[in-house]
């Protein structure tokens, strides 16, 4: 399938209500593509009572089933592939401590940061909505830096999820602030294959041009929401183009995994 994708730490399950397929199908698709390490990182539960947030993730009541299923597959397929289990989560300071306490009872291998939602002026904002608000951009960048500073996340998913259409100089300054923090503190940033597959605003040339310039560590994340996405050639071709065009510093292992 490819010469460089040995690992994928960004895999969802149907428990998030916007992914399809059985857990086993993701595992078998990964094996078929020659992936050696498959990490499940479904959307982390949160306590915030907001319909937009709650309808795209499992509840705390479903966490037990999530671990039961993935750990059984880990044992069953141990001779074919290494399977890990974690979460992709947003950082909300007011519930972070409680969230970590709730998850401490489960043997998760890693967490990745995907700051999909922000709290701005008492309202929930989706980071991917188009905005020219410098306040929203600053909130996204600052939230990511504050989250990574806790030390619990292994990498930053889709760093350019924030869809900012305002002053380009402001965007460049803010994104450099985030990427420089990631570089100095050894946090990889993700090239998101699902975004490439769906022609989303990310991965963006303007962001990965900076990533190449700063030589951040870059990890590929399939962000699979369906088993078939694990083997989609079109997304890999776009990734190859970015890797070559911007001389990306590609890695395939992350810190904090089962250490």
């Amino acid at each position: 399938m490819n010469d460089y994708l040995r690992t994928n730490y960004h895999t969802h399950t149907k428990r998030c209500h916007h992914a399809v397929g059985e857990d086993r199908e993701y595992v078998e698709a990964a094996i078929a593509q020659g992936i050696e390490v498959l990490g499940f990182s479904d959307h982390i539960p949160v306590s915030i009572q907001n319909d937009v947030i709650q309808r795209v993730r499992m509840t705390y009541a479903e966490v037990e089933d999530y671990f039961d299923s993935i750990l059984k597959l880990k044992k069953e397929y141990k001779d074919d592939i290494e399977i890990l289990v974690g979460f992709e989560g947003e950082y909300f300071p007011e519930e972070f401590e409680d969230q970590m306490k709730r998850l401490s009872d489960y043997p998760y291998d890693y967490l990745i940061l995907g700051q999909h939602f922000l709290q701005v002026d008492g309202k929930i904002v989706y980071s991917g909505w188009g905005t020219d608000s410098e306040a929203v951009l600053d909130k996204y960048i600052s939230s990511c830096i504050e989250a990574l500073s806790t030390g619990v996340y292994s990498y930053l998913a889709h760093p350019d999820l924030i869809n900012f259409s305002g002053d380009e100089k402001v965007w460049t300054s803010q994104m450099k602030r985030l990427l420089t923090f990631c570089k100095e503190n050894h946090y990889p940033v993700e090239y998101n294959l699902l975004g490439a597959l769906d022609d989303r605003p990310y991965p963006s040339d303007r962001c990965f041009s900076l990533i190449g310039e700063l030589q951040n560590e870059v990890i590929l994340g399939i962000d699979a929401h369906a088993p078939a996405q694990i083997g989609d050639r079109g997304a890999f071709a776009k990734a190859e183009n970015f890797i070559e065009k911007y001389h990306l510093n590609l890695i395939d292992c992350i810190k904090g995994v089962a250490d």
Side-chain angles (χ1 to χ4, degrees):
M1 171 68 200
N2 62 81
D3 296 327
Y4 52 82
L5 190 66
R6 297 191 308 108
T7 62
N8 174 55
Y9 299 100
H10 200 163
T11 313
H12 293 278
T13 79
K14 65 182 181 181
R15 295 170 188 82
C16 72
H17 310 293
H18 60 285
V20 298
E22 301 300 321
D23 301 340
R24 180 183 301 275
E25 293 179 282
Y26 287 91
V27 173
E28 293 182 348
I31 292 170
Q33 298 303 327
I35 291 174
E36 299 172 14
V37 180
L38 179 68
F40 284 88
S41 52
D42 215 348
H43 295 280
I44 201 165
V46 297
S47 299
I48 296 172
Q49 295 306 303
N50 177 277
D51 288 343
V52 176
I53 293 178
Q54 290 291 346
R55 69 179 180 227
V56 291
R57 67 195 61 242
M58 72 177 81
T59 65
Y60 279 112
E62 295 174 292
V63 172
E64 191 80 32
D65 175 70
Y66 177 54
F67 277 89
D68 284 348
S69 174
I70 305 305
L71 292 177
K72 286 177 182 176
L73 291 169
K74 177 183 180 74
K75 183 176 180 180
E76 180 180 346
Y77 287 92
K78 62 183 177 61
D79 294 330
D80 303 299
I81 191 170
E82 181 180 1
I83 297 175
L84 303 173
V85 57
F87 292 99
E88 177 189 18
E90 295 86 2
Y91 175 71
F92 298 111
E94 70 280 6
E95 76 157 50
F96 178 73
E97 184 176 347
D98 176 66
Q99 189 176 63
M100 292 298 99
K101 185 177 180 180
R102 285 173 179 260
L103 296 180
S104 65
D105 291 333
Y106 297 94
Y108 65 87
D109 294 301
Y110 64 98
L111 303 176
I112 60 178
L113 177 66
Q115 195 68 33
H116 302 90
F117 296 100
L118 305 166
Q119 290 179 311
V120 181
D121 296 331
K123 297 180 180 179
I124 297 296
V125 175
Y126 174 59
S127 302
W129 287 335
T131 182
D132 60 3
S133 169
E134 293 181 12
V136 172
L137 174 63
D138 181 75
K139 182 69 173 182
Y140 176 81
I141 299 298
S142 297
S143 294
C144 288
I145 291 174
E146 186 176 346
L148 293 171
S149 296
T150 66
V152 305
Y153 301 97
S154 292
Y155 77 79
L156 175 60
H158 35 59
D160 46 351
L161 172 65
I162 186 69
N163 189 10
F164 181 72
S165 59
D167 190 318
E168 192 70 14
K169 290 183 179 179
V170 172
W171 180 90
T172 299
S173 175
Q174 287 279 29
M175 190 56 67
K176 276 191 173 180
R177 180 163 74 95
L178 174 58
L179 295 175
T180 298
F181 175 87
C182 290
K183 169 77 171 180
E184 292 177 348
N185 292 278
H186 309 290
Y187 285 106
V189 296
E190 178 193 72
Y191 179 94
N192 189 273
L193 287 154
L194 181 60
L197 176 64
D198 287 351
D199 290 321
R200 298 179 183 183
Y202 62 91
S204 66
D205 282 275
R206 66 177 180 173
C207 184
F208 277 85
S209 175
L210 289 177
I211 289 170
E213 175 186 324
L214 294 170
Q215 279 295 284
N216 289 86
E217 292 183 331
V218 176
I219 190 158
L220 299 181
I222 297 176
D223 197 359
H225 284 72
Q229 291 170 350
I230 290 178
D232 190 278
R233 183 63 224 171
F236 289 117
K238 291 181 179 180
E240 289 170 343
N241 179 60
F242 267 58
I243 292 166
E244 294 176 4
K245 183 176 181 180
Y246 298 117
H247 307 288
L248 299 182
N249 178 20
L250 205 64
I251 65 168
D252 58 13
C253 292
I254 58 175
K255 65 182 180 179
V257 173
D259 57 8

